[in-house]
Amino acid sequence: MELLLILLLGIMYAAGVYLILRRSMIKLLLGIMMMGNGTNILIFVMGSITKGKPPVINSNHNIFQDIYADPIPQALILTAIVISFALSAFAIVLLKRAYALLQKDDLDDLNTPEEEDI
């Protein structure tokens, strides 16, 4: 299971970097979103996958004596999902406004200075 997630992680990072290097604004946003999802999978894999072992201490023990699921990576992933959703919504609004002004989807058009009236 972990090997499959690691392969998926590598594919998502590679596709994300490829999309970020394109000139389209939409592909840039999709690349950022793919890399964010790849990072969530990385945090999930680093937290180790443990099935059926909740982090609950029995009443007759003072410490954990068995392997348990770590809740910290799961909380970090939930926070990252909310932040990436907000970032994506903000970027979509910015991209829509830039497209309305330029009528183009090319990032190089954002760097050109405006033509002066002579």
Side-chain angles (χ1 to χ4, degrees):
M1 178 71 174
E2 289 181 2
L3 181 62
L4 179 65
L5 287 174
I6 292 170
L7 290 174
L8 180 66
L9 168 70
I11 290 170
M12 290 185 81
Y13 270 124
V17 168
Y18 176 78
L19 288 172
I20 285 175
L21 295 175
R22 301 296 102 198
R23 290 174 50 176
S24 172
M25 291 186 280
I26 301 298
K27 290 179 183 176
L28 173 72
L29 178 62
L30 290 175
I32 291 171
M33 289 170 57
M34 285 191 80
M35 288 190 69
N37 289 331
T39 304
N40 289 342
I41 293 174
L42 175 67
I43 294 170
F44 183 67
V45 170
M46 294 289 289
S48 72
I49 300 170
T50 307
K51 292 175 73 174
K53 300 288 185 177
V56 177
I57 301 175
N58 291 336
S59 60
N60 53 355
H61 293 101
N62 291 333
I63 59 172
F64 285 117
Q65 296 181 341
D66 198 9
I67 297 174
Y68 65 94
D70 191 10
I72 299 297
Q74 296 172 12
L76 289 174
I77 291 170
L78 286 174
T79 305
I81 288 170
V82 171
I83 292 170
S84 67
F85 177 74
L87 174 70
S88 299
F90 182 69
I92 288 170
V93 171
L94 284 179
L95 293 177
K96 183 179 176 185
R97 181 67 179 148
Y99 184 76
L101 290 175
L102 297 174
Q103 297 297 321
K104 294 180 184 176
D105 189 29
D106 194 2
L107 286 172
D108 286 342
D109 292 338
L110 294 176
N111 294 331
T112 58
E114 295 180 17
E115 296 177 13
E116 295 181 16
D117 294 330
I118 297 176

